[in-house]
Amino acid sequence: MEKYDHKYGAEQIQVLEGLDPVRKRPGMYIGSTSVRGLHHLVYEIVDNGVDEALAGYCTEINVVIEKGNVIKVTDNGRGIPVEIHPKTKLSTLETVYTVLHAGGKFGGDSGYKVSGGLHGVGASVVNALSDWTEVTVKRDGGIYKMRFEKGKTVEQIKKIGETNETGTEVRFLADGTIFETTEYNYETLETRFREIAFLTKGLRITIEDQRGEEIKKADFCFEGGLISFVEFLNKNKEKINAKPIYIEKDGEVPVEIAIQYTTSYSENIYTFVNNINTVEGGTHLEGFKRSLTKVFNDYARNHNILKEKDGNLQGEDIREGITAVVSVKVKEPQFEGQTKTKLGNSEVTGVVMSMVNDALSSFLEENPNVAKAILEKCISASRAREAARKARELVRRKSALESTTLPGKLADCSSKVAEECEVYIVEGDSAGGSAKQGRDRRFQAILPLWGKMLNVEKARADKIYGNDKLNPVIIAIGAGIGADFDITKIRYGKVIIMADADVDGAHIRTLLLTFFFRYMRPLIENGNVFLAQPPLYKLSKKGIDDVYCYTDEDLENAYKELEEKGIPRDQLAIQRYKGLGEMNPEQLWETTMNPESRILIKVTMDDAIKADEIFTVLMGDEVEPRREFIEGNAKFVKNLDV
Ligand code: 28F
């Protein structure tokens, strides 16, 4: 029996199998087949254009969402090589689109490859997961075209014209049998392309949505790169250093950082590796934080801003009010964490630290006024933290002393099993009264709040603890706030905000959500926060049950249904609810509190940046952006009392 001695290399096996494994387990390659996975297809193709830009040959990338959710991406780079490879008998173009990981990421060429969200699986995965993919290359004076279907070549490379331009154009239609949806979300793509444009200084990226009547489009190009990024993030905040601090260092691990402080109290540091948003942070973030604390403390000591007797400024004092973007490029990134967005490469910590130590301390020495302004804020933050610590001690001692007695206003429920219990935070004493009477006291607690609460965007932690309106909320939920917040200690599985459908109610809702977002974020992330949805209208007529309507659409449908039952709308009395107080306890129970019939809206935190921006606009110091926001969104506000 002749012994076969050829060993198949991974490459050959891969070519034999083709791209079938990708179609069998798409989640392995693009994370999921949800709309997130669908968007990754676009990011993969765009990233190849970005690589061409980073290599220095492409200055513009255009993305179009065509009717029918066909994606077209075009760049003005060199064009994927179309020559036939002597060994494989395939053109580079066909190899890149039909062989897994052939997109040069592992070709080890000198330039840095940015990888898509799932770390650069390459164009062949997009091809495998699409009904069809067409690639048109302009290069060497010709226009060449290929077509694939589900990863397989269906039209060989063919010259279809002459040109003196160069570039690559890719069109594809995602496979509807693989993805839960093939409907792209314009805003999501636009947000990501804005981010890529910030991260790739000078690259122009445009996006156009041709699916609807009105064309939506955006055109991003930021010569300022990360400087423009922090200016964009801070556009609605009062700045401390007008011009962002910008430091960069090329080398084995290129590092680029922009920093701008504002008068807000939140800390916003966004970190990226090869343009991937490392939401879970990692070694680059650690290096940045450590060095930031060291440099500012050293500067404060050397310039006698911190006295001998003063303790060191803590990291959180120095990061209060910071907006920073840290972008590093790593050849072989190791990603860890829940969503593979935490950088694990240990060597990066030291690289970032030494770069920031040198560049930031030189910047501060050369800009003493900026250094002083920032340090003033850090020192007042440190004093406020000290005061908050004392206040917290006080509250802890107070709540420890009173731990049996909960806030006077709280009508607690008899069950102590948190998962089944819920607390209604109700605006106003009258509604609070009806809620107390109407509720099921076994599992429903009521905490009435009154009047406008503190605007937490403007207040610091020490004011939060002492605040007599938020205090009852903190003690009732029983899990502390801020760094002390412990989700396992919450006393209720549901925290339900019940406020009127008018402007005051909207204000209370936004203030409470700002408070939860800033000081009890896990409560939102864990899905414990809800908004009660009281009815807007009641239709009534002698002889029939009252009909409650929660939206104008509900109302229209109710009218139609009753007309079908022979009850014309002019025989129906309609009541427009202006506030919870207009309902008696039974009605409040039936329409808004009874788990069988009520409507609850779960508050989920899908995009921290967007939520942060909305809170900052609505609650921040800058009046102008708030007016713009409210005017811009007024058309969505139906129940404003005019
Ligand atoms: C719309 C999406 O995909 N642009 C691309 C190039 C350019 C080259 C290239 C791409 C195989 C492994 C290197 C041209 N000339 N936009 C794109 N533009 N790929 S993808 O080469 C692929 C090789 O990596 C290119 C000289 N060198 C490289």
Side-chain angles (χ1 to χ4, degrees):
M1 168 77 155
E2 188 186 337
K3 194 169 84 55
Y4 286 91
D5 66 352
H6 49 234
K7 278 188 302 311
Y8 277 119
E11 203 71 6
Q12 285 79 355
I13 288 175
Q14 204 290 321
V15 171
L16 287 175
E17 277 169 0
L19 294 166
D20 293 347
V22 179
R23 291 182 59 81
K24 284 202 188 73
R25 285 193 304 286
M28 292 276 289
Y29 297 88
I30 52 167
S32 77
T33 53
S34 70
V35 69
R36 280 178 193 276
L38 180 76
H39 289 150
H40 274 301
L41 300 185
V42 190
Y43 301 153
E44 274 311 315
I45 301 300
V46 167
D47 281 348
N48 286 340
V50 174
D51 282 343
E52 189 63 0
L54 288 176
Y57 298 98
C58 158
T59 59
E60 181 168 336
I61 299 175
N62 310 111
V63 181
V64 179
I65 312 172
E66 298 176 352
K67 287 193 184 320
N69 284 293
V70 170
I71 292 291
K72 175 170 75 175
V73 185
T74 313
D75 78 29
N76 64 352
R78 293 168 290 185
I80 306 177
V82 292
E83 303 80 38
I84 303 294
H85 195 286
K87 205 157 52 95
T88 61
K89 299 284 172 280
L90 298 175
S91 65
T92 304
L93 167 57
E94 186 164 11
T95 307
V96 166
Y97 271 77
T98 56
V99 177
L100 212 49
H101 299 316
K105 301 237 184 300
F106 305 84
D109 58 41
S110 62
Y112 285 95
K113 295 279 177 194
V114 295
S115 2
L118 266 290
H119 320 324
V121 290
S124 53
V125 167
V126 178
N127 183 4
L129 301 178
S130 296
D131 280 349
W132 53 264
T133 306
E134 284 179 354
V135 187
T136 307
V137 168
K138 290 177 179 171
R139 180 185 170 87
D140 310 328
I143 305 175
Y144 303 87
K145 190 169 178 177
M146 270 200 91
R147 182 179 164 89
F148 310 89
E149 284 169 9
K150 297 182 173 51
K152 301 250 186 309
T153 303
V154 296
E155 282 175 23
Q156 279 305 338
I157 200 155
K158 192 169 59 204
K159 183 171 184 179
I160 60 169
E162 315 269 315
T163 177
N164 51 23
E165 291 172 355
T166 61
T168 302
E169 177 191 283
V170 180
R171 291 179 71 242
F172 67 88
L173 173 63
D175 184 338
T177 66
I178 286 183
F179 290 95
E180 290 160 26
T181 169
T182 55
E183 184 77 25
Y184 294 94
N185 177 299
Y186 173 81
E187 280 70 26
T188 304
L189 294 175
E190 181 192 76
T191 300
R192 175 57 186 157
F193 297 147
R194 177 193 294 115
E195 196 172 82
I196 293 178
F198 279 131
L199 293 163
T200 319
K201 191 181 331 194
L203 171 65
R204 184 177 180 204
I205 301 188
T206 68
I207 175 170
E208 185 179 336
D209 185 351
Q210 299 175 340
R211 294 172 295 179
E213 274 70 54
E214 20 109 35
I215 299 261
K216 281 188 273 193
K217 59 182 163 186
D219 186 334
F220 301 119
C221 182
F222 303 106
E223 292 309 333
L226 297 195
I227 292 175
S228 313
F229 200 168
V230 287
E231 287 171 339
F232 165 76
L233 290 166
N234 285 342
K235 64 181 183 298
N236 303 315
K237 298 184 179 180
E238 192 185 340
K239 323 315 174 214
I240 288 204
N241 56 310
K243 219 164 101 36
I245 298 170
Y246 178 71
I247 48 182
E248 70 168 321
K249 181 170 175 295
D250 227 335
E252 190 52 23
V253 176
V255 183
E256 233 194 312
I257 298 176
I259 304 169
Q260 186 174 47
Y261 277 84
T262 69
T263 55
S264 92
Y265 306 124
S266 58
E267 167 186 334
N268 291 304
I269 303 177
Y270 300 99
T271 58
F272 297 85
V273 177
N274 302 348
N275 286 4
I276 294 167
N277 186 349
T278 36
V279 178
E280 296 169 276
T283 49
H284 50 342
L285 178 59
E286 277 324 299
F288 174 65
K289 283 182 171 179
R290 265 192 241 164
S291 173
L292 197 73
T293 303
K294 175 181 172 3
V295 167
F296 274 110
N297 272 297
D298 289 355
Y299 185 90
R301 294 232 176 264
N302 299 342
H303 292 73
N304 220 0
I305 297 176
L306 267 185
K307 308 284 180 287
E308 265 312 296
K309 63 177 172 45
D310 295 329
N312 262 358
L313 294 166
Q314 300 299 305
E316 64 182 288
D317 306 331
I318 289 172
R319 296 193 301 270
E320 186 195 85
I322 191 172
T323 296
V325 178
V326 178
S327 172
V328 298
K329 297 269 185 341
V330 177
K331 277 199 165 65
E332 306 282 344
Q334 309 303 325
F335 292 99
E336 301 165 357
Q338 201 78 23
T339 53
K340 293 276 167 270
T341 58
K342 180 172 187 171
L343 181 65
N345 301 61
S346 54
E347 74 280 9
V348 172
T349 310
V351 168
V352 172
M353 274 181 75
S354 60
M355 175 265 177
V356 176
N357 286 349
D358 296 347
L360 183 58
S361 46
S362 319
F363 176 89
L364 296 183
E365 292 303 333
E366 287 147 24
N367 301 273
N369 50 346
V370 173
K372 207 158 118 336
I374 291 172
L375 277 163
E376 258 160 34
K377 178 159 175 42
C378 300
I379 286 172
S380 72
S382 149
R383 291 202 184 110
R385 181 173 47 76
E386 213 28 53
R389 202 183 51 70
K390 291 201 184 73
R392 196 164 45 225
E393 283 314 306
L394 179 75
V395 165
R396 272 211 200 109
R397 266 202 303 284
K398 228 170 86 190
S399 55
L401 295 176
E402 300 162 4
S403 60
T404 46
T405 53
L406 286 155
K409 292 256 179 184
L410 173 72
D412 209 350
C413 52
S414 51
S415 160
K416 294 300 165 223
V417 178
E419 291 71 45
E420 67 183 14
C421 296
E422 46 195 51
V423 58
Y424 275 81
I425 302 179
V426 191
E427 176 204 6
D429 278 344
S430 66
S434 330
K436 280 179 187 173
Q437 290 168 51
R439 68 175 168 146
D440 177 334
R441 60 187 55 228
R442 195 181 60 74
F443 69 97
Q444 290 182 322
I446 307 294
L447 179 60
L449 284 188
W450 57 97
K452 292 265 188 310
M453 301 191 336
L454 177 78
N455 177 343
V456 294
E457 176 67 18
K458 292 194 182 108
R460 262 215 187 94
D462 50 328
K463 296 254 183 329
I464 299 287
Y465 283 104
N467 178 272
D468 63 353
K469 296 199 172 85
L470 286 173
N471 223 338
V473 176
I474 299 169
I475 296 181
I477 293 177
I481 65 172
D484 294 340
F485 184 76
D486 175 356
I487 190 91
T488 61
K489 293 217 178 78
I490 55 175
R491 301 182 60 252
Y492 305 97
K494 287 189 175 70
V495 177
I496 304 170
I497 302 172
M498 183 151 78
D500 288 342
D502 61 11
V503 180
D504 281 350
H507 198 167
I508 284 273
R509 250 193 307 280
T510 308
L511 283 180
L512 276 170
L513 288 184
T514 302
F515 171 67
F516 290 140
F517 174 75
R518 292 251 180 279
Y519 295 96
M520 295 190 184
R521 197 172 296 192
L523 205 64
I524 298 185
E525 288 165 338
N526 196 39
N528 299 102
V529 180
F530 296 83
L531 303 179
Q533 189 78 350
L536 286 181
Y537 306 97
K538 180 178 79 174
L539 290 178
S540 50
K541 177 181 184 313
K542 242 197 311 311
I544 67 166
D545 288 347
D546 292 341
V547 176
Y548 291 97
C549 304
Y550 293 83
T551 63
D552 292 328
E553 201 181 332
D554 260 2
L555 180 65
E556 263 323 297
N557 296 338
Y559 273 134
K560 288 199 183 77
E561 269 168 42
L562 288 164
E563 261 152 17
E564 275 151 29
K565 289 181 195 149
I567 304 174
R569 53 182 73 194
D570 57 15
Q571 284 182 21
L572 291 160
I574 177 165
Q575 177 183 351
R576 166 89 168 71
Y577 284 113
K578 282 261 180 309
L580 298 162
E582 295 170 346
M583 273 181 268
N584 65 38
E586 292 67 45
Q587 288 171 327
L588 192 55
W589 161 258
E590 209 35 60
T591 60
T592 314
M593 299 179 74
N594 177 353
E596 257 73 71
S597 51
R598 72 187 176 191
I599 296 172
L600 286 187
I601 298 171
K602 178 184 278 194
V603 174
T604 63
M605 177 84 68
D606 197 15
D607 174 340
I609 295 181
K610 180 51 80 187
D612 183 43
E613 190 178 300
I614 288 173
F615 286 140
T616 308
V617 167
L618 282 181
M619 301 297 148
D621 295 322
E622 309 289 290
V623 176
E624 189 47 35
R626 180 169 32 242
R627 199 174 52 71
E628 275 165 31
F629 180 92
I630 290 174
E631 276 170 2
N633 291 282
K635 55 183 175 298
F636 299 119
V637 179
K638 281 195 283 293
N639 314 310
L640 199 61
D641 296 324
V642 288

